[in-house]
Each structure stands twice: as structure tokens, then as C-alpha cells.
Amino acid sequence: MKQHFDMVVVGGGIIGCAIAYYLAKENANVAVLESQSIGGKSTSAAAGMLGAHSEYKEFKQLYPFARSSQLLYQELYGEIKELAGVDFEMKRGGLLKLAFSASEKQEMASIYELPTVEWLNREEANEKVPALTKSIIGAAFLKEDVHITPIAACNGFSKGAQTLGAEIFEYTNVSEITKQDSQYKIKTSRGDFTAAQVVIASGVWSNSFFQQMGLTNRIIPVKGECIAAMNEEMPLKHSIFHDQHYIVPRNNGQLIIGATKKWNDWNEKPTLEGIESVIKKAKEMIPAIKDMKMTNCWAGLRPQTFDGNPFIGEHPEMKGLYFAAGHQRNGILLAPATGKMVRDLLLGNPVDKKWIEAFKVERSINKSTELEEVKL
């Protein structure tokens, strides 16, 4: 088994697999080390909304990065389907961001200026989704905030990378990374690997590597609980969104409904209280959901940084060691842009300086902000 590579990515979620895919496209000698199955943790728990516009207010200066990543999915959809035979299961139709009051409508004022966003009054919104609650005053129609199936996209990146020459090692737990001369030694459950460059893309589980490498950075989990329900009667072409809760229609007739937001909770099992709150919020948006059959429930851990921006960049003192973690609830959306940025950093290609500054790993060092107080 080959165990020396030019580049090793630690973490086989959608971020790590996107990085490997873009590196493999450049004929890089790259491997992915994943402790479980590809996409089996936070990636598979996500709903898959590509919400560059629905998160516009929260993104602030990050919006151009998010929008560029959203647009990349348009070309990746056909590219990976042809290369690897994997369908991202992209569902178009856009998203309705509901407003129950004039103040909520006003809070969304900034997105009305975007060319792909349209305000709908109550009657217009109900025309698009007849089952919507009549309690709304209207909704912002975000035409290009479509969604994909996250595990399908992750598998597409992974299989695409393999087709281009990358190697994927599942069930390979990384316990330690040490610098040896010009290389890194990666100690794993399947023996030692070596590489000139290493990328840590392990979501909330990146913390142990920050500590190993002498950094004070910390990512905390924000647990999200979701359910799936079978929609057999109600046509739903659009995703529904309100107060960071959503109802997302899949191509197979299921609705993905979520999500709670529990800070610093490492338990990956859903709770009765959490599922109850998800159902309650869903019924406020579409009352008819109460009659649907629940088919599954689960939880995932979103990786949250102190300021909401991911850590994407090189260790300030250890050349060749990079991080790409902390994408919070937008890991699916930001995977393509992150993959391209990390590729460029590793290969020495030009990278926009404002993104290097916004995402640099050392920006949180000596910050007094307590992560638990940042509730973006």
C-alpha cells in the first residue's frame, strides 16, 4: 500500500473531498485519510441548501466568496456526472424566505437589491406554495438558492478525485502529525503516512490538531437535529426557510426538515426535545406537515469559529501545514470555493488577498472573544 504522497488531506467530508478533487485535476499526488466512511459525519447530516442569498445578512463581506462557490456547482454538476457517474441530485426551484411581520420583511431589505431575489406578497407566495401558512405577510423568493444531496456531492468529489488519480483511505484514523525535516509524518490506525504538505479538514474534530501544532484556535460544535418526512400528497417545488429553520424537498419525495442549534453539544444523537421543536417550527411554516409520516431523524455537528468565518490557510509557523475547517452551517455551499482556494495555496497560485486575510488561521490568536458568546 502506497503511503507517501506529495499532499495528504485529513478528513473525508465534503470540504476534504473537494480539496482532493481540485488538486487531482492538477495531477497532484494526493491522498485523503478519513476516520470513518467518506461523508459519514457532518456532511451526511446536512440538508444541502446552496443558500448564498438566504444567508446574505450573515455572510456580510463573505458573500462574494459564497456566491462564487454557489455558481461553481453549476459547472461541477455536469463535470462530475460525466467524469465519475455521480449525480449531485440538484433540485432547482429556489427558496422562499418567509416573513411573518413587517419587521422581518425589513430585516431582509438588503437582499431585495440582488437581481435574483424577488419580494412576493402573501397571495403570490401562496400561489407558489398553496400549503404555506396564511400567517405570513409575504416571502423573499431566492431564485438561485437551490439545493443538492450532500452525501451525493461528497461522493462525487471523492470518486472524481479517484478517477483523476487521488487515493482515498476510509476507516483510517489520524492520531498524530509531526514535522520531520521537510516532510510531515502522519500516524494513523493503518500505519504511518508521509507528505510534504498536509491539509487538516476535519470539521469540529480539527481541534486536536490545532492543539498538537501549538495553536490556540478552537472550533466548537453547534448541534443540529433534523427529520425526514415522506411527502405523498403536497406538491413542493421550493425550499422554505424562516429563522434558520428549513423544509427542503428531495427528488425522492422526502422533505428534509431542520434544524436545532445547540451550542457546544458534542452528542451526535437527536433528542426528543430537539425533534419536537423542529416539528413545531415546520408546522408554523406549512401546517399540513403534521399529517406526514416521519421516516428518519438524526443530528450533526456544525463547526463554528469565533467570528463565523472558516479557518482556511497555512499554519503561521509550520510551512506546508494547512487548515480548512470551521465552515459552520455552510460547509456544503462553500466546499467548491474552499477546494479551489486550498488548491491554489498548495500549488503557489495567486489567491485573493482579502480571502487570505479573512480566513487566516492565526487571526483568532490572542482574541478575547469567547466563542460561546458569538451566536451568529
Side-chain angles (χ1 to χ4, degrees), residues 222-241:
V222 182
K223 178 178 176 177
E225 295 156 291
C226 304
I227 66 171
M230 185 53 64
N231 178 19
E232 298 175 333
E233 298 180 2
M234 181 185 69
L236 185 60
K237 297 180 180 179
H238 317 284
S239 295
I240 310 300
F241 189 91

Side-chain angles (χ1 to χ4, degrees), residues 17 20 30-34 38 158 161-162 166-170 190:
C17 289
V30 60
V32 174
L33 308 181
E34 165 54 40
I38 289 295
S158 173
Q162 286 180 288
E167 294 198 36
I168 308 293
F169 296 88
E170 295 181 293
R190 297 179 63 175

